Amino acid sequence: MTFIFLSASFFQDYANCPEIEQKANRPYICTYIEVNGISFAIPLRSHINHPHVLWTDKENHCGLDFSKTVVLTKPSYIDANKKPHIRQNEFDALRGKDYLIQQRLLKYISAYKKAKERLDVPRNQILCSCSTLQYFESYI
């Protein structure tokens, strides 16, 4: 499993995308994963209050937030100058779960696409409007 930070050029290129988390002073650590030849970054976040997550610390609402997944269309979108360090309990919760993460990501992408087909349903509107996948539909 690979952990990364997104680069300044990524945030610059997606500055007009409000659902992409942008905290310059405290960037999110992401899990890097490739699925079907597409590179994804799934952020580790805290205070998550929705079901599209793989918990690393459920009691504190921490985990991989699939709703904020981004597609990395350029290798330069990975910040090679910073090495992420995550909390041991979160690392332990994710260790050996590469396949599970891939399957959960595919499940989330499928749910997003299905919701996109029925935007007349309020919960689908919320899922689609809060998802970062809206900026990467041509890749998924």
Side-chain angles (χ1 to χ4, degrees):
M1 181 167 310
T2 304
F3 298 100
I4 63 166
F5 284 113
L6 299 175
S7 68
S9 65
F10 174 85
F11 291 112
Q12 187 175 5
D13 288 353
Y14 291 96
N16 295 323
C17 301
E19 288 304 316
I20 293 178
E21 300 290 332
Q22 300 189 36
K23 290 188 175 183
N25 61 339
R26 191 177 62 87
Y28 289 102
I29 295 172
C30 297
T31 298
Y32 173 85
I33 186 169
E34 286 188 25
V35 180
N36 300 327
I38 302 167
S39 299
F40 294 93
I42 310 164
L44 279 159
R45 297 183 64 219
S46 304
H47 310 294
I48 304 170
N49 291 314
H50 60 74
H52 309 292
V53 62
L54 177 61
W55 298 113
T56 56
D57 182 351
K58 191 169 186 175
E59 182 178 311
N60 293 304
H61 300 275
C62 300
L64 285 179
D65 187 348
F66 293 102
S67 73
K68 301 303 178 193
T69 298
V70 297
V71 174
L72 301 176
T73 59
K74 298 178 186 176
S76 63
Y77 285 163
I78 297 173
D79 187 340
N81 297 318
K82 294 180 187 171
K83 183 166 174 40
H85 298 281
I86 68 170
R87 290 176 236 149
Q88 188 64 46
N89 67 322
E90 293 195 274
F91 178 78
D92 292 343
L94 294 173
R95 184 180 5 200
K97 298 213 171 114
D98 299 59
Y99 180 76
L100 176 63
I101 293 167
Q102 178 181 342
Q103 294 306 304
R104 293 286 301 273
L105 176 60
L106 290 171
K107 183 178 176 181
Y108 178 73
I109 291 170
S110 178
Y112 175 84
K113 288 178 176 179
K114 197 173 202 179
K116 192 81 174 159
E117 293 174 3
R118 292 289 317 269
L119 290 175
D120 57 308
V121 178
R123 76 170 179 266
N124 291 350
Q125 288 176 8
I126 293 168
L127 187 150
C128 291
S129 67
C130 293
S131 177
T132 52
L133 292 182
Q134 65 186 295
Y135 312 120
F136 304 100
E137 290 180 352
S138 63
Y139 297 97
I140 61 168

